[in-house]
Amino acid sequence: MTLSTTETFVQLLYLAASILFILGLRDLGDAQTARRGVLLAEVGMVAAVAGTLLYGVAVTGVIVRWEWILVALLIGSAIGTGMGLWIPMTKMPERIALSHAFGGLAVGLVGVVEYLEHGGPKMSTLQVTATGLEVALGALTFTGSLMAFGKLQGFITGRPVTYPGQNASNGLLIAGTLGLIGLLVYQPGAAWAFYAVAALGVLLGVLLVLPIGGADMPVVICLLNSYAGLAAAATGFALGNNVLIICGALDGFSGFILGMMMSKAMNRSFTNVLFGAFGAEPEGKAVAAGAAPTGPAPNVGSVEEAAEVLRAARSVIVVPGYGMAVSQAQHAVRDLANALQSQGCDVRYAIHPVAGRMPGHMNVLLAEANVPYDQLFDLEVINDDFGATDVALVVGANDVVNPAARSNPSSPIYGMPILAADSAKTCLVLKRSLNPGFAGIENELFVRSNTMMVLGDAKKTISQFTAALKE
């Protein structure tokens, strides 16, 4: 092919990749088409990589040594395959955080190489601006994602870590970073300013995530995804690569929109999540079985009593929460549902948008346990059905079923949309202890007259339910 023909072919590959990314993102919005969406995005990425390699060989001639590309490809494939095969689905939030960290590091390093390769004074205003933003956002995403990983994994406390003047100092650091990028535009050869931008990005990643509680990780993961996408878009402008601009913009704005949706689901503003030091995970000792922290004692029942309630039920709605992920009880939940359905019981699952530690966490776990997609229902679809349901089985959920969100104006979760599990004829609540959820408040559901609590490991308890039903 001639040079012009090759360049045209590369742009067509980029166009095809962009269309596939958009179609893949659309399909990911529905559980029924999510697998196809992932496949379309994978094909799009192959097309984008192929186009970039062809452009580097035939058009610009910058690729002269393939061995380094092959080595990097093999190493990256080995790491990605290992993460996919060996990291359990219950650790998916941590894996997502690590992926964001790697993505941020990659775009940050590309920005550094671009600056070193072309030299600041030779770069246009657009290039130096894009490169500065690319490095700042990439560094921020890298350390911020590592902080999120540490909080999710327990290496770092899940409680918000705050100090006086924190928001003001973070604001000054952000302003300083933008000011240094402006200085680079005015004086592209100021290498010290470029490296200061990278250093401030690294620092901001730590300081911006540190004051956010572990239970707010769904919003944080969305935001870090947005940062990574915007960094990739900036890389596209710096390199003149159209597909990077398009896919980076898709990633950036979809992550931001999803973060806004997660905030809305918690009835909190985006700024409150980022700067409110809310979402602390309880670290106190477990409350003794049968005794509430204050107020009336909950009705704590035995496994046998709860199994009899399930045996008599004709309709059950399962409400999964983070406790299900912690105990890895999704397979046990599926087995219990199968046992109930074999006795003529209708079983469905109610999914709250912020249940778990990342968007769609419960959907991922239940899909891994081969729970049929058509049994999963979002909050707004299934909430009105609780009143006509025999049993609401709450597995490790807390604040997303707390009636205080409707009845107590002084509660920090007042106004938050919740699943109406308290409206069911009987509500069975499975929890390890009576400790509060991320909001740090007592759950009114636990002391309702139609609630029976069974304390202990959810996986073990549900397995005992299933065994009792099969007797």
Side-chain angles (χ1 to χ4, degrees):
M1 289 188 292
T2 64
L3 186 62
S4 60
T5 304
T6 302
E7 192 164 3
T8 300
F9 182 67
V10 168
Q11 295 305 319
L12 287 174
L13 282 175
Y14 285 167
L15 177 62
S18 301
I19 293 173
L20 287 169
F21 289 146
I22 294 171
L23 294 176
L25 188 62
R26 182 201 64 181
D27 283 353
L28 286 172
D30 191 303
Q32 301 288 350
T33 57
R35 291 180 184 271
R36 185 178 66 192
V38 171
L39 181 60
L40 289 173
E42 288 175 342
V43 175
M45 184 57 70
V46 170
V49 171
T52 301
L53 293 177
L54 182 60
Y55 187 80
V57 172
V59 180
T60 63
V62 296
I63 297 179
V64 293
R65 299 188 64 179
W66 283 90
E67 58 268 27
W68 290 108
I69 294 176
L70 293 175
V71 168
L73 179 64
L74 291 173
I75 293 174
S77 298
I79 293 174
T81 302
M83 290 175 66
L85 291 176
W86 297 318
I87 294 180
M89 297 296 282
T90 50
K91 293 295 182 181
M92 190 56 63
E94 289 90 325
R95 196 202 71 77
I96 296 295
L98 276 181
S99 295
H100 287 162
F102 292 149
L105 179 61
V107 295
L109 290 176
V110 168
V112 171
V113 171
E114 185 73 6
Y115 187 82
L116 292 175
E117 183 74 19
H118 296 288
K122 299 178 182 178
M123 301 178 78
S124 66
T125 299
L126 176 61
Q127 283 180 312
V128 75
T129 303
T131 304
L133 290 172
E134 169 192 352
V135 170
L137 289 171
L140 190 159
T141 303
F142 174 59
T143 52
S145 298
L146 289 181
M147 289 293 295
F149 171 79
K151 282 178 174 280
L152 290 167
Q153 189 66 20
F155 298 151
I156 304 171
T157 178
R159 291 181 178 274
V161 178
T162 60
Y163 52 84
Q166 185 172 52
N167 291 336
S169 63
N170 286 346
L172 287 174
L173 287 174
I174 294 172
T177 303
L178 294 176
L180 286 170
I181 294 174
L183 176 62
L184 280 172
V185 173
Y186 177 73
Q187 191 178 350
W192 66 269
F194 177 79
Y195 294 115
V197 167
L200 287 177
V202 169
L203 184 61
L204 278 169
V206 175
L207 296 180
L208 289 176
V209 178
L210 199 61
I212 301 176
D216 277 335
M217 284 303 111
V219 179
V220 175
I221 287 176
C222 293
L223 189 62
L224 290 169
N225 182 72
S226 180
Y227 291 158
L230 294 176
T235 305
F237 281 108
L239 300 178
N241 189 303
N242 293 332
V243 74
L244 266 178
I245 297 172
I246 294 172
C247 71
L250 284 172
D251 197 16
F253 286 102
S254 62
F256 181 77
I257 292 170
L258 188 56
M260 296 292 287
M261 292 171 63
M262 294 294 104
S263 299
K264 183 179 179 181
M266 295 187 289
N267 194 40
R268 292 166 58 204
S269 68
F270 206 49
T271 54
N272 179 251
V273 172
L274 300 181
F275 307 115
F278 190 71
E281 293 202 28
E283 294 182 356
K285 294 181 179 179
V287 180
T294 60
N299 176 26
V300 178
S302 66
V303 170
E304 292 74 18
E305 291 171 325
E308 287 304 312
V309 172
L310 289 170
R311 191 189 305 276
R314 295 296 88 192
S315 59
V316 172
I317 297 179
V318 180
V319 180
Y322 183 60
M324 186 185 77
V326 172
S327 64
Q328 301 186 33
Q330 63 270 25
H331 292 277
V333 169
R334 179 207 59 201
D335 292 341
L336 175 62
N338 290 341
L340 288 167
Q341 289 168 335
S342 68
Q343 298 180 8
C345 181
D346 176 45
V347 179
R348 291 174 292 169
Y349 299 79
I351 309 298
H352 194 282
V354 294
R357 290 298 180 268
M358 72 174 190
H361 195 180
M362 298 300 104
N363 303 70
V364 169
L365 293 179
L366 293 171
E368 189 255 345
N370 294 320
V371 173
Y373 292 139
D374 58 5
Q375 293 180 12
L376 275 57
F377 295 89
D378 292 334
L379 178 148
E380 61 273 10
V381 176
I382 201 171
N383 230 17
D384 292 338
D385 295 346
F386 278 100
T389 300
D390 293 330
V391 176
L393 179 61
V394 179
V395 186
N398 201 321
D399 296 308
V400 297
V401 292
N402 191 342
R406 294 195 305 261
S407 61
N408 186 358
S410 63
S411 172
I413 64 171
Y414 181 72
M416 169 179 161
I418 63 165
L419 291 164
D422 58 310
S423 301
K425 296 174 184 176
T426 301
C427 183
L428 290 179
V429 178
L430 309 185
K431 276 179 63 67
R432 288 175 296 173
S433 70
L434 297 178
N435 274 343
F438 73 82
I441 59 175
E442 297 170 25
N443 195 332
E444 295 179 8
L445 176 66
F446 297 169
V447 296
R448 291 288 177 96
S449 59
N450 64 330
T451 297
M452 178 189 296
M453 294 193 69
V454 181
L455 300 179
D457 178 76
K459 182 177 180 180
K460 179 180 179 182
T461 301
I462 293 173
S463 297
Q464 290 173 328
F465 288 166
T466 304
L469 289 173
K470 290 180 177 180
E471 288 181 356

